[in-house]
Amino acid sequence: MTEQNSALRLRKRGTRFEVAPAPYTPAAHNEVVVRVRAIAVNPVDAIPGLAYHLIFPWLKFPAVIGSDVAGEVVEVGPGVTRLRPGDRVLGHAVGVERSRNRAAEGAFQQYVVLMQHMVSPLPEALPFEQAAVLPLTLSTAATGLFQKDHLALALPTADAADRSETVLVWGGSTSVGSNAIQLAGHAGYKVVSTASPRNFDYLRSLGVAETVDRNSPTAVDEIVERIGDSPLAGTLAIGNGSLKPTIAIAARTTGGKRIASAMPSLLTRIQSWRAPRLGVTVSAIWGGTLKDNEIGPAIYADFLPTALASGTYQAAPEARVVGHGLATIPDALQQLKKGVSAKKLVVTV
């Protein structure tokens, strides 16, 4: 394979990017190479220098970062049995993970290497730019909901039975929340969620049973009332300020006392200091860990392909295309810093 690759490289810790030629890396065992057609950006991609150093101290520079891609498979490595060249796919690029840590697996390039169990085929009707909104936030939600070190819920299936338990998703209109709602629903749980009232209809379209205004002064009481006698299976806390109310809710309801936090580990530890006194356990999610356990293939290989093909799972939130070409990604990151609600920013390639 002699494809010409190019990448948006991060030259040092911070946000100084440059587009430059990059090696084409062939697929190794259980890997595929994907010609990228769309890339979504995430807040972690836009972290400033000092914070980036703290979160990714192992990262080699110049680095190719980014997680969310959709495109076509151009090469499969030994051991790959479920994908073939020409397949339309989405995938979670894991190049910034400590155990991978190589530019070939970063999303911000034309040809990216992906682990086959972190890739899902796409139905023809799903555009690349909409599919690209899923990977990192899907992985983050799945990690929090299903990994044994977090909520350890039952896995999603095509026809899950009603479990008569409730999952609370605080921050349902976020990208992580949009996926958590659907995953929990497909696992048979009733979902109660928070958002701004303007996003209530959006949450209901994803399967939420009860919605509460996150800014309401009585939000905790309202959620406890809506959960009622149904045991709380667990809580996903998304966004700054989510831990205080979710800890209070978990302490007042029956069932699961576990909260999985989508905030960084340090902030989670600081803001959850009172949880143990109330009998509540709080854990911090790292969205890439499912690549190393049974949850990764359970989501990307066993569940998502069928769910997308049948239309029972939405690629959500809505994609907003804000540029074309690798050189427009820094502008997309700047737009992301201004805030986005119930949408995700995407660049086509």
Side-chain angles (χ1 to χ4, degrees):
M1 184 71 66
T2 58
E3 303 290 351
Q4 297 298 310
N5 192 21
S6 63
L8 181 70
R9 301 190 306 178
L10 186 61
R11 292 192 56 81
K12 61 181 181 180
R13 302 184 192 280
T15 53
R16 184 181 174 188
F17 291 100
E18 68 171 8
V19 177
Y24 174 94
T25 303
H29 186 75
N30 283 333
E31 294 178 346
V32 301
V33 178
V34 169
R35 170 58 171 96
V36 178
R37 300 297 181 184
I39 298 168
V41 295
N42 295 283
V44 71
D45 303 325
I47 293 173
L50 177 60
Y52 212 91
H53 174 74
L54 294 173
I55 294 174
F56 299 106
W58 58 83
L59 200 60
K60 300 174 184 176
F61 290 86
V64 180
I65 66 170
S67 305
D68 295 346
V69 298
E72 301 123 348
V73 175
V74 296
E75 182 185 346
V76 301
V80 175
T81 57
R82 49 180 291 267
L83 300 165
R84 60 184 181 182
D87 284 352
R88 302 175 71 255
V89 298
L90 63 79
H92 183 168
V94 293
V96 299
E97 296 295 317
R98 185 191 295 267
S99 62
R100 307 300 288 185
N101 195 14
R102 63 171 182 158
E105 296 183 66
F108 294 173
Q109 57 190 317
Q110 288 183 312
Y111 291 91
V112 61
V113 176
L114 302 175
M115 304 171 79
Q116 75 151 327
H117 65 274
M118 298 298 289
V119 175
S120 172
L122 299 177
E124 288 295 329
L126 182 58
F128 289 130
E129 56 268 27
Q130 189 60 48
V133 307
L134 284 177
L136 179 59
T137 48
L138 170 68
S139 292
T140 302
T143 296
L145 293 172
F146 306 122
Q147 277 190 193
K148 292 181 175 61
D149 54 342
H150 295 297
L151 302 188
L153 302 182
L155 287 166
T157 64
D159 54 353
D162 182 4
R163 299 186 182 278
S164 300
E165 292 181 279
T166 298
V167 169
L168 170 61
V169 178
W170 187 286
S173 63
T174 64
S175 296
V176 175
S178 299
N179 284 279
I181 289 165
Q182 295 186 86
L183 289 170
H186 277 81
Y189 298 95
K190 171 187 172 182
V191 180
V192 174
S193 187
T194 65
S196 297
R198 68 178 182 274
N199 289 321
F200 280 4
D201 287 343
Y202 168 63
L203 265 59
R204 294 187 187 102
S205 76
L206 298 176
V208 167
E210 302 281 354
T211 55
V212 171
D213 181 355
R214 70 172 187 269
N215 294 316
S216 169
T218 59
V220 169
D221 293 335
E222 292 176 54
I223 291 171
V224 170
E225 179 182 359
R226 283 163 171 76
I227 292 172
D229 296 331
S230 171
L232 182 62
T235 299
L236 203 63
I238 306 164
N240 195 26
S242 61
L243 278 175
K244 182 178 180 180
T246 54
I247 290 170
I249 292 163
R252 291 175 54 184
T253 51
T254 61
K257 302 295 184 183
R258 299 177 74 173
I259 298 173
S261 167
M263 293 191 302
S265 296
L266 179 60
L267 290 177
T268 295
R269 288 196 297 270
I270 292 172
Q271 295 186 23
S272 62
W273 62 272
R274 60 194 289 270
R277 295 188 304 165
L278 299 173
V280 178
T281 300
V282 179
S283 57
I285 304 166
W286 184 270
T289 54
L290 79 172
K291 77 183 191 316
D292 298 319
N293 57 52
E294 74 281 3
I295 305 302
I299 297 300
Y300 284 92
D302 299 339
F303 169 71
L304 191 61
T306 301
L308 288 176
S310 66
T312 59
Y313 197 96
Q314 297 181 42
E318 179 185 344
R320 178 189 295 169
V321 178
V322 294
H324 177 75
L326 298 174
T328 66
I329 292 175
D331 289 339
L333 294 174
Q334 289 301 315
Q335 291 186 51
L336 183 62
K337 290 179 180 179
K338 297 176 183 178
V340 179
S341 177
K343 286 184 173 56
K344 197 160 183 181
L345 305 185
V346 173
V347 167
T348 57
V349 182

